[in-house]
Amino acid sequence: MRTDAGARLFRDHGLSELLEWLYETHGFDFRNYRAPTLERRISRRLFLTGAKSYGEYLARLKETPAELTHLLEDLTIKVSRFFRDAPMFERLARDVLPTLLSGRSRSRSFRGWCAGCANGEEVYSLAILVEEIVRRRHGRFSVMIHGTDLDDKAVRTARAGLYNESVLSEIPHGYLKTYFDRTGDDYAVREDVRRHVHFSRYDLTSRRSLSPPGGVFADYDLIFCRNVLIYYDLSLQERIVSKFAKVLAPGGVLVLGTAEHIPRPFMPMFEAVSRRWKIFRRLLDAPPTPVSLEVFGR
């Protein structure tokens, strides 16, 4: 449900018809994105295409498949690097992952989900940390880290696992040599990391499913959703966190972006591991998801 302010903006500027068309014909639901963000990014496409109105731009979208690709790229801007916010990853490696990985065996796998994974840097960063712990413990168990994004192009880039050194500047010493192979001007993620990950396109706002295709229905040990919620209005933030609360195992960890917060109705379900880095643990005796905020009920 859009906020009244957002609905007025969409109606006044002709965005509503465009957003409904994106949803009805392609399944891309931007109707609960924050209105100023939508207007700014779509207005850029109007300027670049020379369209004089949202109606004219919608006509171009219908006639030009390539423009739809450009619009989606602008609406889902990818800003990511390996080990972005290095102190957050250090905290994970020191205090969070060792606990989550303790007592694992071949019969008890570790499952992670990076929602809104952009080009995959965050997914591989997490997989490297897990592989480091596995190697130190001289033990093997199943690891699956699922990376999802709305953008097909980003998912293809993530699957390829080939990166320019510009996104590798924050990788800790030794990791580049251990987990990457130089390929011309780029670096390729090695198989001992790639085997832990799986990528797929998934709309985080979907009402049809709780978790992405190929994932598990519940019991994720760790969910990353960094710098994604900030693009949505409060009602959609609540729906997304409701989804996470349902598929995160008791004692599992949710990591948000530093400018993001757990919506108030869900705060009793979590304890803060790090308020600075927005790392939260789902309480073992957490109360159930508020009935009014059920994923499929709004």
Side-chain angles (χ1 to χ4, degrees):
M1 180 183 298
R2 291 191 297 271
T3 61
D4 290 342
R8 283 196 301 272
L9 181 62
F10 296 153
R11 184 169 57 249
D12 294 346
H13 293 271
L15 280 176
S16 180
E17 184 181 356
L18 191 157
L19 298 178
E20 290 295 337
W21 178 82
L22 285 173
Y23 177 65
E24 294 295 336
T25 61
H26 296 282
F28 301 122
D29 193 353
F30 296 103
R31 296 172 299 175
N32 285 87
Y33 265 47
R34 289 184 173 177
T37 300
L38 276 174
E39 185 172 50
R40 182 174 65 253
R41 294 184 181 179
I42 297 177
S43 293
R44 178 176 181 272
R45 296 311 311 167
L46 265 69
F47 173 77
L48 292 175
T49 60
K52 304 302 182 185
S53 67
Y54 290 110
E56 184 179 333
Y57 180 67
L58 177 56
R60 296 194 182 194
L61 276 178
K62 294 177 179 179
E63 297 170 356
T64 313
E67 179 55 30
L68 176 61
T69 300
H70 295 317
L71 175 61
L72 292 177
E73 289 175 352
D74 276 10
L75 289 177
T76 57
I77 289 176
K78 307 295 181 288
V79 181
S80 189
R81 298 182 302 279
F82 281 86
F83 294 94
R84 183 184 182 192
D85 295 327
M88 187 279 296
F89 279 98
E90 291 171 5
R91 184 70 184 269
L92 279 181
R94 185 180 69 245
D95 300 329
V96 176
L97 285 174
T99 299
L100 291 177
L101 293 168
S102 64
R104 299 282 164 173
S105 65
R106 292 183 184 275
S107 62
R108 185 164 178 254
S109 63
F110 172 84
R111 294 184 290 270
W113 176 15
C114 293
C117 70
N119 295 318
E121 296 94 336
E122 185 176 79
V123 181
Y124 288 120
S125 298
L126 177 58
I128 287 171
L129 292 185
V130 172
E131 178 65 15
E132 281 283 297
I133 294 173
V134 170
R135 289 185 177 192
R136 287 199 302 269
R137 294 182 176 179
H138 307 290
R140 286 289 164 186
F141 49 84
S142 175
V143 174
M144 176 51 66
I145 302 170
H146 206 138
T148 64
D149 201 272
L150 182 64
D151 186 347
D152 277 320
K153 182 179 179 182
V155 170
R156 290 194 298 270
T157 298
R159 286 174 180 157
L162 192 65
Y163 297 94
N164 184 273
E165 63 182 348
S166 63
V167 301
L168 299 166
S169 60
E170 294 185 49
I171 285 191
H173 179 71
Y175 285 4
L176 190 62
K177 182 178 179 179
T178 303
Y179 295 110
F180 294 82
D181 291 317
R182 187 71 181 258
T183 305
D185 294 331
D186 297 320
Y187 289 84
V189 182
R190 288 183 177 174
E191 180 57 31
D192 50 358
V193 174
R194 290 168 62 89
R195 64 189 174 87
H196 293 319
V197 307
H198 174 80
F199 294 98
S200 64
R201 181 190 172 277
Y202 180 69
D203 183 356
L204 191 56
T205 69
S206 171
R207 294 177 181 270
R208 300 184 179 94
S209 62
L210 283 172
S211 61
V216 293
F217 185 76
D219 291 338
Y220 282 106
D221 299 290
L222 178 64
I223 296 177
F224 268 54
C225 187
R226 302 178 68 214
N227 306 309
V228 175
L229 296 182
I230 55 174
Y231 295 112
Y232 300 122
D233 68 17
L234 180 58
S235 66
L236 198 49
Q237 290 179 22
E238 290 177 348
R239 188 199 305 171
I240 292 169
V241 174
S242 175
K243 179 177 295 192
F244 293 155
K246 286 179 177 296
V247 301
L248 189 63
V253 171
L254 172 64
V255 184
L256 303 177
T258 54
E260 297 170 327
H261 306 275
I262 290 180
R264 185 177 297 275
F266 299 94
M267 290 176 63
M269 304 180 71
F270 294 89
E271 63 177 351
V273 176
S274 171
R275 295 192 183 279
R276 170 69 178 86
W277 295 111
K278 301 303 172 67
I279 302 173
F280 303 94
R281 179 177 289 109
R282 192 180 191 280
L283 295 171
L284 296 174
D285 56 350
T289 302
V291 173
S292 62
L293 297 175
E294 290 287 336
V295 174
F296 302 110
R298 298 192 68 171

